[in-house]
Amino acid sequence: MLGVKALKLSFTDDLFPRKEGPFLTRRVARAFVFEDGRLFIHLIRRDDLFGKATYPETPGGGVKPGESYEEAIFRECLEELGQEVEVLCYLGEVEDEYALIGRKNLNRFFLCRAKGKPVERHLVSKGDSLIAETLFLTLEEAIRLYESNASTPIYELVKRRELPFLYLLRDAPGLLKDLV
């Protein structure tokens, strides 16, 4: 992986009440997609069981049965960004949970480059409907956004999961060569 050690993190949801019974497991593929030195970051807006919140989150989503994490990245980026991507490397994984709904997430993160011309987005899932807009930020702008915006419990969970990868991208020498 371009000389960078993949992250492996695990978090327990200590911010929401725990649902009774066993937790279901969901495999999730997430992407840090760069184009012309900038990063695609969704601005999520919700008002639901998790509360009213607006926060940044990487493109990505659930891996379908029989689908690899990489295949899910290709599909999710087409759906959410209208963009084909090239997977450059695997960055690591985060095992986390949403205690309120009894779900354990097995997230894998990838560094990607946008390729080709954008096409129309096809927001198809319930999660896609939470995308208020897609921001196009420098890496430093993305880090500042994540660092300054942890005002709600759901966002704190997302921040725990994603901010370490933004730091990895910033601090790993050569990882973003030819991207920024």
Side-chain angles (χ1 to χ4, degrees):
M1 180 186 74
L2 304 175
V4 176
K5 185 176 179 188
L7 293 179
K8 185 165 183 156
L9 306 170
S10 181
F11 300 106
T12 300
D13 178 353
D14 57 355
L15 301 174
F16 288 97
R18 298 189 80 70
K19 181 180 176 187
E20 296 291 325
F23 278 37
L24 298 176
T25 299
R26 180 178 188 227
R27 297 184 313 143
V28 181
R30 299 214 159 269
F32 290 96
V33 180
F34 281 86
E35 181 179 56
D36 297 327
R38 293 186 173 267
L39 184 60
F40 293 93
I41 297 288
H42 292 316
L43 192 60
I44 303 298
R45 190 165 290 126
R46 68 185 322 137
D47 186 0
D48 57 15
L49 184 65
F50 289 102
K52 188 172 186 169
T54 301
Y55 56 89
E57 186 173 54
T58 53
V63 178
K64 294 180 178 181
E67 187 177 50
S68 71
Y69 281 92
E70 290 84 354
E71 290 167 333
I73 285 295
F74 298 138
R75 178 182 49 75
E76 289 288 342
C77 287
L78 270 175
E79 289 173 6
E80 295 181 6
L81 301 174
Q83 188 67 61
E84 289 186 10
V85 299
E86 172 188 0
V87 173
L88 301 175
C89 69
Y90 167 73
L91 295 171
E93 62 187 55
V94 176
E95 191 175 293
D96 67 353
E97 62 184 19
Y98 293 133
L100 191 61
I101 60 172
R103 190 170 82 204
K104 181 178 184 178
N105 302 301
L106 303 176
N107 302 277
R108 287 200 181 162
F109 287 83
F110 297 88
L111 175 61
C112 301
R113 175 190 348 244
K115 67 178 192 176
K117 295 188 183 227
V119 298
E120 187 177 338
R121 296 187 321 171
H122 296 284
L123 303 176
V124 297
S125 73
K126 182 178 177 184
D128 292 347
S129 69
L130 300 175
I131 300 169
E133 66 181 294
T134 300
L135 307 173
F136 199 50
L137 306 171
T138 66
L139 179 58
E140 287 304 320
E141 289 169 337
I143 289 170
R144 282 194 302 272
L145 179 62
Y146 274 77
E147 287 176 338
S148 69
N149 187 9
S151 59
T152 62
I154 185 62
Y155 178 59
E156 181 60 36
L157 294 177
V158 172
K159 180 179 176 178
R160 288 178 191 174
R161 178 182 76 211
E162 299 190 358
L163 189 55
F165 289 95
L166 289 169
Y167 292 148
L168 173 70
L169 293 172
R170 180 192 66 195
D171 299 337
L175 185 61
L176 297 182
K177 186 180 179 204
D178 302 324
L179 290 177
V180 295

